[in-house]
């Protein structure tokens, strides 16, 4: 199926360039789509280790935590994401993160 094909491709690319945060982020999203929250969160953590300013990784991590009833953790992650987005001057990411934060309150 296409999910595993895409996942295999992303894992291969990640092995070729382990410093690129794009691949772990993509891998995380594939796991999230498949409902594998823990796997997704682990890959999002890896993304953020590689690039602490990867705004959308915070967004996705916050979303997954919130979907799994972990609102307190989600808030902390989104808070950090908002700071990263502001530092990166990424107003689109910032507004997405703020929107998700508002939905938690």
């Amino acid at each position: 199926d296409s999910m595993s094909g895409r996942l295999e491709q992303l894992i291969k690319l990640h092995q070729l360039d382990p410093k690129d945060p794009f691949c772990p982020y993509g891998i995380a999203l594939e796991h999230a789509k498949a409902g594998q929250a823990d796997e997704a969160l682990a890959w999002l953590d890896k993304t953020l280790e590689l690039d602490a300013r990867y705004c959308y990784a915070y967004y996705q991590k916050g979303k997954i935590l919130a979907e799994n009833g972990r609102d307190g953790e989600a808030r902390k992650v989104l808070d950090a994401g908002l700071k990263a987005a502001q530092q990166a001057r990424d107003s689109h990411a910032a507004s997405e993160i703020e929107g998700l934060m508002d939905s938690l309150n």
Side-chain angles (χ1 to χ4, degrees):
D1 90 300
S2 66
M3 142 105 192
S4 60
R6 201 175 136 67
L7 193 55
E8 274 168 35
Q9 220 174 354
L10 284 163
I11 288 170
K12 275 190 195 123
L13 287 169
H14 174 58
Q15 287 163 344
L16 289 171
D17 188 1
K19 296 266 180 275
D20 181 3
F22 178 77
C23 290
Y25 179 73
I27 293 166
L29 294 193
E30 291 299 315
H31 284 298
K33 277 185 224 156
Q36 297 158 339
D38 290 339
E39 282 288 311
L41 291 169
W43 282 100
L44 287 167
D45 285 341
K46 198 180 282 276
T47 305
L48 291 167
E49 276 166 35
L50 291 168
D51 181 2
R53 290 176 126 182
Y54 207 112
C55 307
Y56 289 101
Y58 293 99
Y59 175 85
Q60 292 296 335
K61 193 176 171 189
K63 189 173 156 212
I64 293 166
L65 288 167
E67 283 166 359
N68 287 279
R70 294 159 69 178
D71 284 12
E73 287 172 83
R75 267 196 199 89
K76 279 191 195 114
V77 168
L78 293 170
D79 215 37
L82 191 56
K83 287 189 181 84
Q86 286 162 347
Q87 283 171 348
R89 293 188 166 56
D90 187 336
S91 56
H92 183 72
S95 69
E96 295 270 317
I97 291 167
E98 281 171 337
L100 189 54
M101 286 170 103
D102 290 344
S103 74
L104 289 178
N105 296 332

